[in-house]
Structures are given as C-alpha cells and as structure tokens.
Amino acid sequence: MSKGVRLAAAVTLVVSLVPTQPTAGGLGDRNHLHTELAALASAHPGRVGICVQDPTSPPICVNGEQRFSLQSVMKLVVAAAVMRAVDERRVALSDRVTVRREDLSVNIQPIADIVSERGSFETSLGDLLRRAVVESDSAATDMLISRLGGTKAIQAFLGESGLHGIRIDRTERELQTETDGLRWTPKFVFPERLEQARKEVAEAKRQAAFEAYLTDPRDTASPRGMVGFLHKLAAGQLLSASSTAHLLEVMKKTVTFPDRLRAGVPSGWTIGHKTGTSRTRNGINGVTNDVGILTAPDGRHVAVAAFVAESRTGNEERAAMIAAAARAITAAYE
C-alpha cells in the first residue's frame, strides 16, 4: 500500500470516528403539517389563514394569500417601525413623552386610567412601546404612530424593508370608530361620549359599517406577508441586533389572550407574540388573531401567523383553534 493510500485510509478512519453533528432543527414532515393545518382550517366555521416558517425553509401556508384584518396585531408592526427609527437615531427609547387627555384613543387603553387620575402622565417612548405590545394599549400605539409621522411612515418602513402583504392605513382611533359607523372626533377621548355616539348610530348604519369593515383591504395582512415580517424580525434581518433583542424580549411579556398560541406551546419552548381581536356583531366575529415567534428548545425560531375571520363560534372555540395550530406546529419540529 502506498504512503498516499495509507494516509487517505487513516483520514477516513478518523472522520468515521468523529460523532456526527445533529442537523439543525426545523419543521419535519411538511406535507403532513400542511394537511393538519388545512384540516383545522376547514373544520372551523369561519375563514382561517395560517402560515408557519422555520429558519431555513419556505413557509407552509393555508390560505396564505387571503387578506385578514390586523386589529391590534398592527401594534407589533408599529413597534418594529419605532425600533427602526431608534436604529437610525431619529428617536431614542429614553425620549420623554407626556400623555394628556387629548392624546387618548379608544377601546383598550390602560394608560387612560393614569391620565384620568393624574391629568397627564410623563413617561418614555420605550414605555409606550412596551404598553402597545404587552398590554395592547391603543393610546400608546397612536402616540407612537404620531411620533413617527403617521401611518404613511409605517407603510414606508414596510416598503423599505421589502415586506409585502401588510397594510397599516389608519390609527386605532380611526379604525375603531369607522367600524362602528362613526368618524373620529376629539370629543371621543372621553369614553362616555364615544359610547353615547355609538348608541345614536342607527342599527342599519352600524351593520353596514361592520360589513364594509369585513371586506376592507385597509389595515389588513396576508398570513404569508405577516409570517415574512416575523421571519425577518427573528432572523435579525429587519433591525439591528440590539433592537431585535429588545423587541423580541418585549413580545415575550405579552399578557393578552394566553389561551391562543401560548396555550399550544409545550414545555421547553418560549413564545413572543401579539394578539388582535375585533368586535362580534350579530353572532359573527370580525377577526381573532395571534402572531408570534416560537423558540424551540434548541434556540431556533419558528414564525407563526394565525388569523380567524368571520367566525360563528365563541371566544373559547376561536382560541382553541389557534392553540391547536401551535400544538401541531411544535409537534412537527424535529
């Protein structure tokens, strides 16, 4: 045996004795997972869209191109736009902000209780971002949008980032009042005046406004577009490393609707997410959403976007469908 042959044999032996490194984790039987998600969607009495994407493969989608109202999921997109502004040194999370009565919005806004008690509330831009994502505070969100220059600035951020299939057209003030057949007016910062105005809208007009909302392309996303946003965020392709880490940490603290994606995530996994929910009218819920980034025990991220629109079931059934999707996704990871 020649010296060269002996050397080659020795190298082969050494290589064979080295333990094989495990393949990086990801979604396993993709066809089976798609079948499971499609079955969940078809069994639900409503319109369902789900997309999931692991770090290295294309997304798996059911009704991935259809449009769904974002509702409060838009607050996560706004938060990402703020973090981009931080990266570009246009704002800082430490910037001081004063919230006054005229800055309040509608519906869910815990910050309104502080303003009602104190008359005004001084805080930071970073605190507003946390409140928008973690508590789904609409006043905090609308102030962030204003600070960035309006919803056109949010849409510009999406375009500059190469993200498609997501639209942010209105503030929470505008969206929530238009859905009830109203137009935003400053007097609505007083909740009792807003509720009185809602009561004065004719039933036929409110129903027409709700039906128009269900088909309105504004303030919507496709599951594919949303999972693309989440995938880029998790991969560090959207923001700087520090801003990515900060936003992912904020998302992990979300307290709204733990019975959706979070309920389907097994022990050993973690989740950062954002929920969104519309009103239910005449037995039809406009939309129930949850989008997030699941982190497997091996540290790799899986982006998930789940939307349930025009559902004729109750809160628990809609949440259970989303949780079941999370269970199917995590079970498919290997």
Side-chain angles (χ1 to χ4, degrees):
M1 182 182 296
S2 69
K3 183 178 180 181
V5 173
R6 289 197 302 272
L7 180 59
V11 170
T12 300
L13 177 62
V14 171
V15 170
S16 68
L17 293 175
V18 175
T20 302
Q21 294 298 314
T23 303
L27 298 171
D29 190 336
R30 295 169 60 83
N31 290 333
H32 179 70
L33 177 57
H34 182 272
T35 298
E36 282 194 277
L37 296 178
L40 285 172
S42 63
H44 191 85
R47 187 167 59 90
V48 176
I50 306 170
C51 267
V52 54
Q53 186 170 9
D54 67 21
T56 60
S57 304
I60 300 169
C61 293
V62 175
N63 297 325
E65 307 302 334
Q66 292 186 20
R67 306 292 299 203
F68 294 82
S69 173
L70 285 165
Q71 281 292 331
S72 288
V73 168
M74 60 88 79
K75 294 167 181 173
L76 177 57
V77 180
V78 172
V82 171
M83 296 313 301
R84 171 67 63 81
V86 170
D87 286 341
E88 296 174 349
R89 301 183 183 277
R90 290 185 281 123
V91 301
L93 293 180
S94 59
D95 287 349
R96 303 307 295 172
V97 181
T98 301
V99 186
R100 298 180 174 85
R101 168 67 69 175
E102 58 265 31
D103 298 312
L104 297 183
S105 185
V106 298
N107 298 350
I108 300 173
Q109 46 177 345
I111 208 168
D113 293 336
I114 302 174
V115 173
S116 295
E117 179 183 343
R118 304 180 188 176
S120 64
F121 174 49
E122 184 177 343
T123 186
S124 67
L125 201 67
D127 182 55
L128 291 183
L129 184 145
R130 180 193 63 79
R131 290 173 181 275
V133 176
V134 174
E135 301 175 1
S136 206
D137 193 302
S138 293
T141 306
D142 283 352
M143 290 194 73
L144 291 173
I145 292 173
S146 177
R147 184 63 176 265
L148 292 179
T151 55
K152 288 184 178 179
I154 313 298
Q155 200 62 47
F157 156 72
L158 290 168
E160 292 163 2
S161 302
L163 295 167
H164 307 287
I166 304 174
R167 287 184 56 169
I168 307 294
D169 299 275
R170 290 169 288 184
T171 62
E172 282 282 48
R173 288 172 163 183
E174 295 164 335
L175 169 63
Q176 304 304 341
T177 51
E178 286 182 30
T179 303
D180 281 327
L182 295 166
R183 290 279 183 179
W184 170 259
T185 178
K187 70 179 181 180
F188 291 159
V189 296
F190 295 94
E192 63 276 10
R193 296 184 184 179
L194 174 58
E195 287 308 309
Q196 182 59 39
R198 282 171 168 160
K199 292 176 182 178
E200 293 173 357
V201 177
E203 176 62 24
K205 183 177 180 181
R206 291 192 70 176
Q207 183 62 26
F210 182 71
E211 291 175 1
Y213 157 72
L214 295 180
T215 59
D216 197 331
R218 293 178 297 169
D219 303 292
T220 63
S222 67
R224 187 179 297 275
M226 179 52 61
V227 89
F229 163 82
L230 295 165
H231 173 71
K232 279 195 169 185
L233 174 61
Q237 299 171 0
L238 199 59
L239 304 168
S240 69
S242 59
S243 289
T244 298
H246 180 80
L247 185 51
L248 293 182
E249 193 60 32
V250 170
M251 291 170 64
K252 290 178 183 177
K253 297 175 181 176
T254 291
V255 298
T256 56
F257 300 106
D259 55 350
R260 298 181 190 175
L261 284 178
R262 189 177 290 277
V265 175
S267 176
W269 288 67
T270 58
I271 177 175
H273 66 127
K274 184 72 197 80
T275 61
T277 316
S278 78
R279 289 175 177 269
T280 295
R281 187 165 180 76
N282 293 331
I284 299 177
N285 175 257
V287 76
T288 296
N289 307 328
D290 203 353
V291 309
I293 297 168
L294 314 185
T295 304
D298 64 7
R300 288 164 70 82
H301 299 303
V302 178
V304 181
F307 297 84
V308 183
E310 297 110 50
S311 177
R312 293 168 177 78
T313 64
N315 294 331
E316 292 184 0
E317 292 82 359
R318 299 193 303 274
M321 203 288 303
I322 294 174
R327 278 192 292 273
I329 290 165
T330 53
Y333 190 87
E334 57 186 34

